Amino acid sequence: MRNPIAVTGETALDLIRQVRGILALFGNTLWWIVVGPFKGKTAGRQSIFQQMVFAGVQSVVIVFFISLFTGIVIAMQSAYQLKQLGAVIYVAPMVSISMARELGPVFVALVVAGRVGSAIAAELGTMKVSEQIEALETIALDPVRFLVVPRFLALLIMMPCLTVMADMVGILGGLIVGVFNLQINMYRYLSFSFDLMEFKDVWTGLIKSVVFGTAISMIACYVGLDTRGGAEGVGKATTMSVVISFIMIILIDCVLTGVFFFSEM
Amino acid sequence: MEERETVIEVTDLVKKFGDRTVLNGVNLKISKGETFVIMGGSGCGKSTLLRHIIGNLKPTSGKVCLLGTDITGLEGAQLDEIRKKIGMSFQSSALFDSMTVGENVSLPLREHTVLEKNIIDIMVTMKLELVGLRGFEDLMPSEISGGMKKRVGLARAIAMDPQIIFYDEPTAGLDPIMAAVIDRLIVDLSRKLSITSVVVTHDMKSVMGIADRIAMLHEGKVLEVGTPEEIRNSANQTVRQFINGSFDGPISFFQQKDDYLEQLTG
């Protein structure tokens, strides 16, 4: 049996090393985005575009179904409660506001972390263990500029887009329940959906999605580039990136919700 | 031999990973245009030495001069300037699997030069021609064999017309014929393009065939440096054992009976 204090200490040190590594990578990425262009060294437009297609366009179907069903479930669950108060029409803002503030950004982030973050970690991890990262450095190409920046920018751009889509599809899901099950007039449903929604509900959600996108890309890239030990290492890195991303998404969501909606109280 | 310009100079290079000393005071001088082979058993620090020479690892102490520049303390852009003048062929080829063969070879040209696309295409064809792979531009690395990957890696290494090419185990894991093909390529490239080649290997057949000079690395130190003839006639028992591939000699994987007994019984 190893000394539990030593194990705790080692784990803590490792955690500190990783957090510092992720922050350093983030700083390095921002440097390439802000200072890089002045030195004539930008990330390739083509590779940013490729990543945007992979992270964004190819996530559309799964985001569509997840938000549609989420919208339906929320409508059904809240209808049950609101019926007892005789306020079934409030299903509409219930769905739209909770999608925009919370469920849209968070579910999109979870989908992207599981689908895109894991793929990034696996790809970069494989590149690391098969000497491809070293090969890049040897031909004088910085892996951060060449690999991390396009992935970071792609997620930064696509996350809010996916979130807007998720919000709208979620409202559509609620609308299906409202119109076909609760017999609410469609125009009445829609006007209630949007009239009670504030602009703040939407922009706070979008800011969240941008922060989530940053966290997912930085965690996945860092874990990928930090991979050691062959195929097993790549597997571990992939799992790690998903686990850390999920925890961070919920944690960040908690903090940001506090900042946006509870800081004035 | 006439005195030639030194392109690589390694001085008292020491590298420690934790408590383990991998390189323990390595000294080397490699002159322009020669094919220099670094040989030694598995785990003797050959690849580590190579990674120090190309600046991918930083030494614990000592220094490395590459093309007249001390690269020991260099980082980022300054190191990249030197790296554009060298090429490296990796043990595992290290081709980028998301790119085609042609894109792999053209990547350094696309990133570091301002040449027109059609000129780059011609250069890629030329480099692939040199390694006998013209016409394979559009295949993915996953669609070609290990030997072909090695050759594509070589074509990528020479894309920028480097002054020095480094080879990490160029013939490891290849069949004898393919190994001979690669050996011939290494010799051809150094003659045709008069580049300095540094080859790390433990393939004795290939060593004797291609080397101008050989350095034997053992336990983190250079044991002997000389021409293939000198190494073949070496008086050093360790070197003799290595080139003959014999079981008995100073390098032993088994302990003496008494030591073993003592270790077992404590």
Side-chain angles (χ1 to χ4, degrees):
Chain A
M1 240 332 241
R2 292 181 61 209
N3 185 349
I5 297 174
V7 174
T8 316
E10 271 169 29
T11 316
L13 282 177
D14 203 45
L15 193 72
I16 292 171
R17 183 184 69 86
Q18 286 185 336
V19 171
R20 279 173 56 178
I22 292 173
L23 291 178
L25 181 66
F26 184 47
N28 204 343
T29 309
L30 289 182
W31 189 91
W32 277 111
I33 293 170
V34 179
V35 185
F38 292 104
K39 303 201 164 194
K41 289 179 170 177
T42 47
R45 216 177 275 174
Q46 199 194 349
S47 64
I48 298 176
F49 190 72
Q50 267 176 5
Q51 291 300 325
M52 281 169 67
V53 170
F54 171 68
V57 179
Q58 294 177 9
S59 299
V60 162
V61 175
I62 175 164
V63 167
F64 177 87
F65 282 111
I66 286 188
S67 3
L68 183 74
F69 295 132
T70 307
I72 292 175
V73 168
I74 300 183
M76 294 194 296
Q77 294 285 20
S78 49
Y80 168 73
Q81 296 284 333
L82 292 169
K83 244 182 199 161
Q84 299 176 3
L85 301 170
V88 167
I89 185 61
Y90 284 97
V91 165
M94 173 86 206
V95 171
S96 61
I97 291 173
S98 54
M99 280 313 290
R101 278 191 181 191
E102 204 53 47
L103 299 170
V106 170
F107 280 5
V108 165
L110 295 178
V111 166
V112 169
R115 199 188 149 266
V116 183
S118 62
I120 291 176
E123 189 185 2
L124 298 196
T126 309
M127 290 186 77
K128 174 75 187 291
V129 300
S130 62
E131 298 180 317
Q132 291 177 50
I133 302 287
E134 212 187 330
L136 266 184
E137 287 173 349
T138 313
I139 52 179
L141 293 175
D142 192 300
V144 175
R145 167 169 85 96
F146 203 74
L147 299 170
V148 178
V149 169
R151 285 163 176 78
F152 169 76
L153 286 178
L155 281 192
L156 201 67
I157 298 167
M158 294 321 281
M159 286 290 288
C161 299
L162 287 172
T163 303
V164 168
M165 190 195 100
D167 293 352
M168 295 196 300
V169 175
I171 292 171
L172 176 75
L175 180 91
I176 292 172
V177 175
V179 172
F180 294 103
N181 188 285
L182 307 173
Q183 321 295 335
I184 304 170
N185 177 288
M186 187 163 77
Y187 299 106
R188 209 163 110 82
Y189 185 96
L190 281 178
S191 68
F192 259 79
S193 283
F194 294 113
D195 287 351
L196 289 177
M197 213 158 94
E198 286 175 39
F199 186 53
K200 189 184 179 186
D201 298 326
V202 179
W203 69 252
T204 55
L206 292 183
I207 286 181
K208 275 183 186 176
S209 77
V210 169
V211 179
F212 293 154
T214 306
I216 294 167
S217 59
M218 285 301 116
I219 290 167
C221 288
Y222 173 79
V223 170
L225 291 176
D226 198 42
T227 304
R228 256 166 269 231
E232 194 194 346
V234 175
K236 270 188 195 157
T238 311
T239 313
M240 268 268 273
S241 91
V242 177
V243 172
I244 302 179
S245 297
F246 274 31
I247 296 172
M248 285 312 292
I249 288 166
I250 304 299
L251 188 100
I252 293 170
D253 185 44
C254 205
V255 172
L256 288 185
T257 306
V259 170
F260 289 145
F261 297 104
F262 284 83
S263 54
E264 296 123 30
M265 282 171 74
Chain B
M1 205 168 73
E2 82 220 76
E3 197 54 37
R4 284 187 293 187
E5 191 189 333
T6 304
V7 285
I8 300 169
E9 188 171 4
V10 179
T11 321
D12 297 324
L13 189 68
V14 176
K15 179 65 178 183
K16 292 180 175 159
F17 289 114
D19 299 334
R20 208 159 52 91
T21 307
V22 181
L23 298 174
N24 193 6
V26 175
N27 288 290
L28 274 184
K29 263 189 182 176
I30 300 173
S31 337
K32 194 170 179 179
E34 72 175 334
T35 302
F36 191 92
V37 173
I38 300 168
M39 64 173 196
S42 306
C44 73
K46 300 187 297 282
S47 295
T48 313
L49 175 58
L50 197 63
R51 279 169 174 70
H52 278 91
I53 299 178
I54 60 174
N56 282 7
L57 285 175
K58 295 287 167 214
T60 312
S61 71
K63 73 173 193 176
V64 177
C65 278
L66 193 57
L67 296 165
T69 314
D70 182 359
I71 61 159
T72 325
L74 288 192
E75 295 269 352
Q78 290 165 308
L79 187 55
D80 282 349
E81 278 313 306
I82 306 276
R83 277 170 166 165
K84 286 178 196 168
K85 298 178 190 160
I86 63 169
M88 165 107 180
S89 152
F90 286 87
Q91 186 173 356
S92 61
S93 312
L95 299 183
F96 305 119
D97 359 83
S98 56
M99 301 180 191
T100 65
V101 166
E103 286 168 347
N104 262 285
V105 179
S106 65
L107 180 69
L109 295 167
R110 280 183 279 138
E111 291 293 329
H112 296 313
T113 66
V114 286
L115 297 171
E116 299 274 337
K117 190 184 173 297
N118 46 4
I119 300 206
I120 289 181
D121 287 345
I122 294 172
M123 290 180 74
V124 168
T125 314
M126 278 165 57
K127 303 296 175 189
L128 284 173
E129 176 84 57
L130 271 176
V131 298
L133 284 176
R134 197 178 151 188
F136 288 83
E137 284 89 342
D138 295 329
L139 291 181
M140 298 303 285
S142 56
E143 297 168 326
I144 60 177
S145 74
M148 287 157 86
K149 278 187 198 165
K150 280 257 153 106
R151 287 187 279 160
V152 175
L154 206 50
R156 185 178 66 190
I158 57 173
M160 291 282 286
D161 295 325
Q163 299 176 27
I164 312 174
I165 310 183
F166 297 89
Y167 302 86
D168 191 4
E169 308 264 1
T171 55
L174 298 180
D175 69 70
I177 298 172
M178 192 47 78
V181 170
I182 299 272
D183 282 348
R184 169 61 73 80
L185 261 174
I186 295 173
V187 175
D188 275 1
L189 287 175
S190 2
R191 298 228 175 98
K192 278 184 196 159
L193 311 172
S194 58
I195 1 187
T196 313
S197 307
V198 179
V199 185
V200 160
T201 186
H202 53 225
D203 181 348
M204 281 318 299
K205 193 162 164 279
S206 120
V207 170
M208 292 303 174
I210 60 175
D212 291 327
R213 284 200 303 148
I214 301 170
M216 166 88 191
L217 200 64
H218 182 61
E219 289 176 344
K221 280 193 164 156
V222 177
L223 219 51
E224 196 160 338
V225 182
T227 62
E229 203 54 37
E230 287 165 353
I231 293 290
R232 213 175 275 141
N233 300 324
S234 168
N236 190 310
Q237 288 301 316
T238 313
V239 176
R240 293 198 67 81
Q241 186 195 355
F242 191 82
I243 58 173
N244 295 325
S246 48
F247 184 78
D248 297 310
I251 309 174
S252 176
F253 288 93
F254 298 100
Q255 293 157 315
Q256 293 298 311
K257 219 173 179 181
D258 296 341
D259 293 344
Y260 186 52
L261 206 68
E262 198 184 301
Q263 212 178 56
L264 277 180
T265 53

